[in-house]
Amino acid sequence: MDPATVPDTAAVERYLRGLQDRICATIETLDGKVRFERDVWQRAEGGGGQTRTLDDGAVFERAGVGFSDITGSKLPPSASAHRPELAGRGYRAMGVSLVFHPRNPYAPTVHMNVRFFIAEKPGEAAVWWFGGGFDLTPYYGFD
């Protein structure tokens, strides 16, 4: 991969922080009863983030929206198991994740995450990718 194709990580961070802001603002408006509380945290090895939680709302019993931006000196073995060429690289991982538990038992629990990873090693091209997922977990199943 050509190093010139490495994304602007500051722009990715701005987008993901903005995504957290937009999701929280929309949920607060929809719920109308409570607001998210914020918890800023730091990671000893590098980076940190902000977790926002909403409890006992009108629509959501509990909701959480987290932003993280962490760094490390070496990818964990699980991260390079299927891509051994990445072993030993330093990394940066950013993302937004959420879990919503609605009050209505017929509305599913929601889980979502979006992630950006970049693995770097001096003298070699950076390797980066986006990932994530989304799922709905019903309380009551219907045929």
Side-chain angles (χ1 to χ4, degrees):
M1 189 175 299
D2 179 1
T5 65
V6 174
D8 178 353
T9 57
V12 173
E13 180 181 355
R14 281 191 307 276
Y15 176 80
L16 292 172
R17 285 185 183 276
L19 179 61
Q20 183 188 38
D21 290 341
R22 290 187 303 277
I23 291 169
C24 290
T26 300
I27 295 303
E28 286 176 346
T29 298
L30 290 172
D31 192 87
K33 179 181 173 186
V34 294
R35 298 183 57 83
F36 281 90
E37 293 188 23
R38 299 171 186 229
D39 176 36
V40 176
W41 53 272
Q42 295 294 313
R43 182 170 174 266
E45 189 176 352
Q50 182 180 98
T51 303
R52 299 185 195 178
T53 56
L54 176 147
D55 288 304
D56 198 27
V59 175
F60 296 98
E61 181 179 348
R62 185 140 208 227
V65 183
F67 167 79
S68 60
D69 181 358
I70 64 167
T71 59
S73 60
K74 190 169 97 171
L75 281 167
S78 61
S80 59
H82 295 292
R83 296 187 69 185
E85 73 278 11
L86 300 181
R89 286 177 176 245
Y91 67 92
R92 182 175 182 189
M94 288 185 262
V96 170
S97 60
L98 61 82
V99 177
F100 293 161
H101 293 272
R103 288 206 170 275
N104 181 340
Y106 295 103
T109 295
V110 177
H111 170 258
M112 182 273 303
N113 71 72
V114 290
R115 299 274 181 248
F116 167 79
F117 295 91
I118 186 165
E120 298 177 289
K121 186 175 185 179
E124 295 189 26
V127 177
W128 59 272
W129 64 96
F130 287 92
F134 178 85
D135 59 79
L136 300 172
T137 306
Y139 288 100
Y140 295 106
F142 293 95
D143 289 336

